[in-house]
Amino acid sequence: MNPVLEPLFKTVRATHPKADLRLIERAYDVAAFHHRDQKRKSGDPYITHPLAVATILAELGTDDETLCAALLHDTVEDTAYSLDELRADFGDNIALLVDGVTKLDKVKFGDAAQAETVRKMVVAMSRDIRVLVIKLADRLHNMRTMRYMPEHKRQQKSRETLEIFAPLAHRLGMNTIKWELEDLAFAMLYPKRYDEIARMVSERAPRRDLFLQDVIEKVSGELREAKIKATVRGRPKHYYSIYQKMIAKDVAFDDIYDLVGIRVLVDTVRDCYAALGTIHAQWRPVPGRFKDYIAMPKFNMYQSLHTTVMGPEGKTIELQIRTRAMHNRAEYGVAAHWKYKEETTSGAAKVKQVNDMAWLRQLLDWQKETSDPGEFLESLRFDLSVSEVFVFTPRGQVIALPEGATPVDFAYAVHTEVGHRCIGARVNGRLVPLESRLGNGDTVEIFTSKSPDAGPSRDWLKFVKSGRARNKIRQWFSKERRETAIEAGKEAIGRAMRKQGLPLQRLMSGEALLALARDLRYPDVSALYAAVGEGHVAAQSVVQKLVQALGGVEGAEEDIAEAAVPTRLKGRPRANSNAGVMVAGDPDVWVRLSRCCTPVPGDDIVGFVTRGHGVSVHRTNCPNVEQLNAQPDRLVQVAWSPGDDSVFLVAIQVEALDRPRLLSDVTRTLSDHHVNILSASVATTRDRVAVSKFTFEMGDPKHLGHVLKAVRTVQGVYDVYRVTN
């Protein structure tokens, strides 16, 4: 036997004793022969990749055909070995798997092409799920060795992994693969956020581990006394899942990380409920936090009891209680279909046939319904990443919807026409707004309009959660309706301008309108017109905002250089302060440092003669200098000449994982370094990143390095730098 294969065979013997090792060795020999002259970006022989993919799959316990296909998965695409030769050598099944994986690899990735890839993947999955399992293992090994790839490739593959492959692994219940894919992609896409979470975890780990050990011993002791044979262990925390919880639950790192997670593994389903009773007798359960996924398994075959209790020191403890067979299924998902085929614990039904998985059929339905690949991908991404709630029709039929779904999602799940004509809803016998969220076990009744003109509202797109509802609403607002709305909107804006006697040509210029559309969160001017035409935005308010944006009608002819400078920061006037800049040939002229790029000594600078405000000094690479170059006769040479009383404006940006008291900690650090803050702005993004901008005065620009270093030590801050435009 080839010694290189010994580690692989050792794993195969442990997880799949009946596998045909001779067939696997033959597949390795063929792959090694055909890849013999190829190298990976890391410089390793190419065969190391298929071997690593096969090893990952062996750990999941896949069958020998899948392992052979994994070893051969790149031969048809990358070598002279043809699919017909492979079929002759290894049979139809292995050839079908290799062909499926090859088809997935062949598609070029762009926005639309990426969606096409996912479609092909879904089709390939529906024929044989093992194709996707091989693809996931292939992606996992590629992510482990991604550091050898160029930066743009790393970003693209990591985003794909996070948006498509990790959710698919989750849908197949393959949590071990999912967690590793997420953490690798997270570290690659957002290295600073990843490092900050890793640092915060390591700082708290010792204290938390002691508490965890104490809880494990107490739970084990209680179960021993109750004569329940169980294994109790802590649950590993994955960095990306910590970050996701911070976003989803909108809480700070400490609140999530201090939540202790325990897993209890027992032998039978009866023991699961007995262990639950024992733990609830010892510690008070938190109301509303108990979920029984044994009686009602999740979509991906996951079964477990979840409960949260108030443990020692008043800290909450999350517990998962499951049998060992359920645990294997939770870790390996669809792969457990092969690994634990023989197991039937206490008469529990065997793992469902993969082709019966409802979500797979649902994806295939969407694929037929949705013509635009980008739209298909969006609905797929969205639907893969959410949990589900189960609600009832008035006749008692169960309908599964994404978590946070509304009566409108329910209406579209029942029938497209019911969705389009929906005008109201009753949940559990009470009238509710259409945007209200549905909970598990709700009974929903929909009221529909009899009017022939009934149709959905564009506002529904803001709150619907299911891909189906989103697609159907968008389809309703077809091109014809949109064009009518655009024309009506354009006409309404024009009328409002004429009524006020405003300069139509100037105000309706493309750039001004586009900027306003972006400010109002519309993708383009047409969308703004459509919103006005449909009555979502008043034409009068659009006109007012346009006039304001151009500085009032009188200010329309304002000098371009002065218009380029942002609004003045509120601070005391410093007419006599020394700007620390000399103008060539005229040392007495009044100089001011521009606020759009806040130049400091050391920056390359240029002067611009303004009307009535002396010389304004910009950095040479300031975005506004391009406009100033159009008037070369007003540009003058300037040079730094800072004195003891010179004061400079500096703008910095601080990026941090959001948490309570973050702003006060950052401002305290700045004031500790004797920084006089003139203005501050803070915005928190949906992914719980707080971006703060501070503008302050500073006498010695060399002091800036110490300030930035100090701010970086604030908990949660992962990046801080000077802003120069």
Side-chain angles (χ1 to χ4, degrees):
M1 183 197 291
N2 189 330
V4 174
L5 293 175
E6 191 46 52
L8 173 64
F9 284 173
K10 190 176 175 187
T11 310
V12 174
R13 284 191 203 101
T15 57
H16 204 72
K18 295 177 186 170
D20 184 349
L21 297 183
R22 279 197 303 262
L23 181 69
I24 296 169
E25 185 168 13
R26 190 152 63 85
Y28 173 81
D29 290 341
V30 169
F33 174 76
H34 286 286
H35 288 302
R36 64 191 180 281
D37 298 327
Q38 294 174 335
K39 289 261 193 293
R40 300 202 84 211
K41 284 267 194 300
S42 60
D44 295 333
Y46 195 88
I47 190 63
T48 56
H49 170 62
L51 185 58
V53 173
T55 307
I56 291 167
L57 291 168
E59 285 162 4
L60 295 173
T62 50
D63 57 4
D64 40 20
E65 285 183 344
T66 311
L67 295 175
C68 291
L71 287 164
L72 296 161
H73 79 271
D74 279 333
T75 50
V76 173
E77 188 180 2
D78 294 343
T79 73
Y81 193 49
S82 73
L83 190 63
D84 291 334
E85 288 175 273
L86 191 145
R87 190 177 285 109
D89 290 345
F90 293 97
D92 285 344
N93 286 351
I94 293 173
L96 194 73
L97 294 178
V98 172
D99 187 38
V101 177
T102 306
K103 279 181 178 146
L104 296 188
D105 287 340
K106 263 188 181 157
V107 185
K108 293 284 177 284
F109 285 97
D111 276 347
Q114 189 181 35
E116 285 299 329
T117 304
V118 180
R119 288 183 175 201
K120 291 204 171 171
M121 190 183 295
V122 172
V123 173
M125 282 161 55
S126 61
R127 293 204 191 108
D128 194 329
I129 202 84
R130 292 176 296 177
V131 169
L132 182 62
V133 175
I134 295 168
K135 185 66 197 164
L136 286 171
D138 173 53
R139 176 51 63 105
L140 178 57
H141 184 249
N142 281 335
M143 287 303 294
R144 286 175 181 171
T145 54
M146 194 58 75
R147 62 186 177 281
Y148 299 107
M149 300 296 279
E151 176 62 25
H152 73 281
K153 205 78 166 166
R154 290 206 296 257
Q155 293 284 317
Q156 179 199 349
K157 295 287 182 194
S158 300
R159 189 156 275 111
E160 236 169 67
T161 299
L162 222 44
E163 293 182 344
I164 294 166
F165 291 100
L168 282 171
H170 173 59
R171 278 282 167 164
L172 296 177
M174 300 166 73
N175 284 327
T176 46
I177 299 270
K178 173 202 166 209
W179 285 323
E180 191 176 348
L181 281 174
E182 283 180 342
D183 277 357
L184 288 167
F186 182 39
M188 206 73 73
L189 277 175
Y190 305 108
K192 289 176 178 171
R193 296 182 201 182
Y194 180 90
D195 290 344
E196 183 60 24
I197 288 178
R199 187 181 69 76
M200 293 194 292
V201 166
S202 64
E203 274 178 6
R204 290 161 182 71
R207 189 183 73 239
R208 186 175 176 277
D209 289 348
L210 284 172
F211 179 73
L212 188 64
Q213 207 47 49
D214 180 41
V215 171
I216 289 173
E217 281 167 19
K218 282 185 174 149
V219 173
S220 301
E222 288 294 322
L223 295 175
R224 250 195 321 275
E225 270 183 43
K227 306 261 186 310
I228 299 168
K229 190 178 161 201
T231 308
V232 184
R233 53 172 87 129
R235 264 181 18 243
K237 290 275 185 182
H238 301 277
Y239 295 159
Y240 186 68
S241 65
I242 290 173
Y243 181 53
Q244 283 299 93
K245 276 188 179 173
M246 286 168 68
I247 297 168
K249 296 189 177 175
D250 199 29
V251 289
F253 171 83
D254 284 342
D255 297 339
I256 288 163
Y257 189 72
D258 287 346
L259 205 66
V260 172
I262 300 279
R263 189 171 285 144
V264 179
L265 302 182
V266 293
D267 291 334
T268 66
V269 172
R270 180 172 291 180
D271 286 348
C272 289
Y273 291 102
L276 178 75
T278 307
I279 290 162
H280 279 186
Q282 169 70 14
W283 287 316
R284 192 161 51 81
V286 176
R289 294 298 300 276
F290 169 66
K291 290 192 175 71
D292 186 344
Y293 292 120
I294 293 179
M296 286 185 76
K298 280 192 183 181
F299 54 80
N300 58 9
M301 308 181 290
Y302 176 90
Q303 286 184 292
S304 200
L305 293 177
H306 287 198
T307 186
T308 304
V309 297
M310 296 301 289
E313 302 172 26
K315 285 190 178 174
T316 48
I317 301 166
E318 285 184 344
L319 290 115
Q320 291 176 348
I321 306 166
R322 56 174 81 145
T323 66
R324 287 173 175 78
M326 288 170 192
H327 178 62
N328 291 328
R329 200 143 65 234
E331 294 294 292
Y332 302 111
V334 85
H337 181 64
W338 301 289
K339 193 169 184 177
Y340 302 97
K341 241 181 204 170
E342 295 77 27
E343 140 309 275
T344 50
T345 312
S346 68
K350 286 193 179 185
V351 178
K352 291 178 192 170
Q353 282 300 312
V354 171
N355 289 341
D356 289 343
M357 291 168 85
W359 72 272
L360 205 73
R361 287 204 309 278
Q362 194 184 12
L363 289 187
L364 290 165
D365 289 347
W366 280 346
Q367 193 192 330
K368 292 177 195 127
E369 277 177 14
T370 311
S371 55
D372 172 24
E375 201 173 289
F376 171 80
L377 180 65
E378 187 191 326
S379 57
L380 175 68
R381 275 180 196 158
F382 197 88
D383 204 74
L384 288 177
S385 59
V386 293
S387 330
E388 291 177 312
V389 291
F390 299 94
V391 295
F392 296 99
T393 65
R395 291 183 180 172
Q397 182 192 347
V398 178
I399 289 184
L401 294 168
E403 196 171 30
T406 63
V408 175
D409 293 290
F410 174 87
Y412 279 102
V414 172
H415 194 278
T416 304
E417 276 307 304
V418 175
H420 286 342
R421 295 179 171 279
C422 168
I423 50 169
R426 192 184 275 154
V427 175
N428 303 329
R430 292 171 57 204
L431 288 169
V432 297
L434 286 178
E435 64 269 25
S436 53
R437 292 168 64 127
L438 299 176
N440 270 317
D442 284 347
T443 300
V444 187
E445 188 182 345
I446 297 294
F447 302 121
T448 54
S449 166
K450 297 283 188 287
S451 161
D453 299 327
S457 159
R458 199 177 282 276
D459 286 340
W460 292 358
L461 287 170
K462 292 175 188 166
F463 58 75
V464 292
K465 288 285 185 254
S466 62
R468 181 185 173 85
R470 200 174 290 274
N471 288 341
K472 293 293 183 188
I473 294 166
R474 281 184 180 153
Q475 282 169 16
W476 169 267
F477 290 104
S478 60
K479 200 174 171 198
E480 190 181 328
R481 284 169 180 271
R482 182 178 164 77
E483 281 172 2
T484 310
I486 289 171
E487 281 308 311
K490 200 183 281 187
E491 183 59 36
I493 292 172
R495 255 199 322 274
M497 284 183 185
R498 280 193 293 274
K499 200 180 274 183
Q500 293 181 46
L502 294 170
L504 208 66
Q505 281 297 309
R506 176 164 172 72
L507 287 176
M508 295 280 274
S509 76
E511 276 181 34
L513 265 175
L514 182 60
L516 179 59
R518 294 261 161 81
D519 283 350
L520 295 173
R521 302 281 163 82
Y522 291 107
D524 52 31
V525 176
S526 299
L528 177 62
Y529 285 149
V532 174
E534 285 163 8
H536 299 309
V537 180
Q540 185 54 44
S541 80
V542 170
V543 173
Q544 277 173 349
K545 286 189 171 75
L546 273 175
V547 172
Q548 282 166 14
L550 294 168
V553 186
E554 300 80 14
E557 279 74 47
E558 187 184 341
D559 185 275
I560 188 163
E562 296 310 301
V565 180
T567 52
R568 301 238 163 95
L569 297 164
K570 289 187 178 72
R572 63 185 184 281
R574 299 198 311 278
N576 302 319
S577 71
N578 177 5
V581 174
M582 294 279 286
V583 177
D586 193 354
D588 291 333
V589 74
W590 184 49
V591 175
R592 65 189 178 92
L593 301 177
S594 82
R595 295 171 188 263
C596 54
C597 57
T598 56
V600 298
D603 293 342
D604 292 334
I605 50 175
V606 63
F608 183 79
V609 181
T610 64
R611 290 177 182 153
H613 293 290
V615 171
S616 102
V617 177
H618 295 257
R619 283 186 310 107
T620 50
N621 58 349
C622 169
N624 289 327
V625 166
E626 271 184 46
Q627 293 172 308
L628 307 181
N629 284 335
Q631 302 173 62
D633 53 318
R634 291 170 67 184
L635 292 174
V636 292
Q637 277 193 333
V638 287
W640 289 112
S641 170
D644 292 341
D645 59 341
S646 298
V647 177
F648 305 100
L649 276 186
V650 177
I652 65 167
Q653 180 152 312
V654 181
E655 292 174 14
L657 300 170
D658 195 23
R659 64 175 174 84
R661 297 186 303 283
L662 173 71
L663 184 61
S664 67
D665 287 354
V666 173
T667 49
R668 191 175 64 246
T669 305
L670 290 172
S671 62
D672 287 349
H673 281 72
H674 312 295
V675 164
N676 179 26
I677 299 171
L678 293 178
S679 75
S681 69
V682 184
T684 305
T685 60
R686 278 176 59 196
D687 50 359
R688 276 198 76 81
V689 169
V691 179
S692 319
K693 287 187 180 170
F694 297 94
T695 306
F696 49 82
E697 294 176 323
M698 185 171 276
D700 181 3
K702 292 181 190 138
H703 184 43
L704 182 61
H706 300 295
V707 173
L708 296 180
K709 199 171 177 183
V711 173
R712 206 169 273 124
T713 61
V714 174
Q715 184 194 309
V717 173
Y718 62 81
D719 206 4
V720 53
Y721 48 89
R722 180 183 163 209
V723 182
T724 52
N725 60 356

